[in-house]
Amino acid sequence: MLRKDSKIIILDDEHAVAEFTSTTLEQIGFMDIEIFTSVKLFVDRIRTSAADLFFLDINLNQFDGLVILSWVKAKQPDAKVVMFSGDTRKDLVKEASQLGAVGFLSKFELDKNIRQLLNKWNVNYPLV
């Protein structure tokens, strides 16, 4: 179950999207959020730190987000991983799900999509 002190890590090579995601999660009540725009720094961090929830971009500069998803699930099988992208083709959504993602969000109306996902998981917010 997610709590306000749940560790959340966001990886998106577009800093504005990562920042917007973080702001939305902070408004909901989450307090422990880290943003990464570099896959290398993200990988270094994950090697030494666990998280409860990840938000990963599918299309990263020079990297495939689905490969990163597989790596994260291998390292931290109990973590929830949500993929997000402007590209929401059914084959991508299906593959992400097969690799262990618990959600796939469109970057369009991201705030609304994050809240809908949390509602689906019965996360009450604002968190206290």
Side-chain angles (χ1 to χ4, degrees):
M1 184 59 141
L2 294 173
R3 303 170 316 275
K4 72 178 182 177
D5 63 342
S6 295
K7 176 69 174 170
I8 300 174
I9 295 180
I10 301 164
L11 173 62
D12 194 314
D13 52 4
E14 293 181 55
H15 184 76
V17 173
E19 195 64 46
F20 181 81
T21 304
S22 177
T23 299
T24 298
L25 293 166
E26 287 170 356
Q27 289 171 351
I28 290 168
F30 292 104
M31 300 170 51
D32 192 1
I33 303 167
E34 279 188 86
I35 294 173
F36 292 89
T37 57
S38 159
V39 173
K40 181 190 178 331
L41 294 175
F42 171 83
V43 167
D44 289 346
R45 180 70 168 139
I46 301 313
R47 285 189 175 131
T48 61
S49 177
D52 301 299
L53 176 60
F54 291 88
F55 285 84
L56 305 177
D57 187 10
I58 287 262
N59 299 310
L60 298 159
N61 287 333
Q62 302 174 353
F63 290 95
D64 180 345
L66 295 173
V67 172
I68 302 296
L69 164 62
S70 295
W71 183 79
V72 168
K73 290 303 288 181
K75 290 281 187 193
Q76 299 183 30
D78 294 332
K80 291 181 183 286
V81 180
V82 175
M83 304 304 292
F84 62 138
S85 180
D87 183 355
T88 58
R89 289 176 288 144
K90 288 184 181 186
D91 60 321
L92 281 177
V93 174
K94 182 179 178 182
E95 187 174 357
S97 177
Q98 290 171 339
L99 292 171
V102 295
F104 193 107
L105 304 178
S106 168
K107 286 187 178 179
F108 303 104
E109 298 186 44
L110 188 55
D111 176 80
K112 179 179 113 184
N113 293 333
I114 289 171
R115 291 173 191 274
Q116 285 177 341
L117 179 67
L118 293 175
N119 287 339
K120 180 178 158 187
W121 292 346
N122 296 315
V123 175
N124 296 317
Y125 54 86
L127 301 171
V128 290

